[in-house]
Amino acid sequence: MVRICQFGAGRIGAIHAANVAAHPDAELAYVVDVNAPAAFALAERYGAEVTDVATALADDTVDAVIVASSTDTHADLIEGAANAGRAIFCEKPIDLDMERIESCLETVRACNVPLALGFNRRFDPNFRAIRAGIDEGRVGAVESVLITSRDPAPPPAEYARHSGGLFRDMTIHDFDMARWMLGEEPVTVYAVGSCLAAPELADVGDIDTAMVTLRTASGRMAQISNNRRAVYGYDQRVEVFGSAGMLRAENETPTRVEYAGEAGVCRDKPLHFFLERYAAAYRDELDDFIAAVRDRRPPLAGGEDGRLAQRLADAAQASLEQGTPVSV
């Protein structure tokens, strides 16, 4: 049984806590959050205790931590857990500053503990099937990857103000997906963006619409299309094209029922948001983390994946500001 302390009792913390409580090989031991009512409510729901960071990390019966707190706490909590010898699962990003990310990862390496990053889309059954098809050679040599990622509604401007911007907050998942599907590291990034859906985001220096092109040294390319507002739901599609064929994953819908009548053909809209769309992925990424802790193996998405995705996000922001492609 892997005993876990969770930092963070907000929206994503509630998802992780429920998955830990339902896992046959895990136990939620502690919940830590500056919002005491939220911490006590989550802990009571799943039979855990509320405590502080120091007490939780000093408890040698704790095997691992989940970091689901605010972004500005991630790096410090990762380092604290690493120094205490605990395995770590952390929601993205490690930090918004690349130097801080690198110093944090140095600590993790020195302590020789597992660090998993919350790139949950790698665990989506459809996207995993695409990656398996690539590995099996079904598309031949990968030539291009097309990723569509659109939220149903923009975030509040105050959230955007502290998020690091669209590329570091939203597109970072797509950067990780592009790296995973391309099989090679991008060497150039070209990004363009506008504020078309939520003008208030421009007031805090952010954008809501973006197109990003990535190119690897061999010439493979990925195109990412982002928007903070899709009126029909959470739009999440991936296509991989290669020398021998194509693999494509369409949106998930509440049902697979399609109606055909005299006026036309229709089906359900996509699932509304990430909590529904990636419910299975969140469960499977926890399975992978627990297995990594138990079997002493690297997780599917680790700290270096977080660093490399952040590097692409930083390059995209620089490209947007400079109006030219940026080398990475």
Side-chain angles (χ1 to χ4, degrees), residues 138 156 160 178 191 205 212 239 246 301 305 313:
R138 296 182 68 192
V212 183
E239 175 184 301
M246 178 183 72
D305 296 305

Side-chain angles (χ1 to χ4, degrees), residues 74-97:
H74 287 187
D76 288 345
L77 289 171
I78 289 171
E79 289 181 335
N83 284 320
R86 312 292 181 245
I88 306 153
F89 174 92
C90 183
E91 277 297 331
K92 62 80 185 168
I94 296 171
D95 196 81
L96 295 176
D97 178 77

Side-chain angles (χ1 to χ4, degrees), residues 62-77:
V62 171
D63 304 295
V65 303
I66 292 176
V67 179
S69 47
S70 60
T71 294
D72 59 344
T73 67
H74 287 187
D76 288 345
L77 289 171

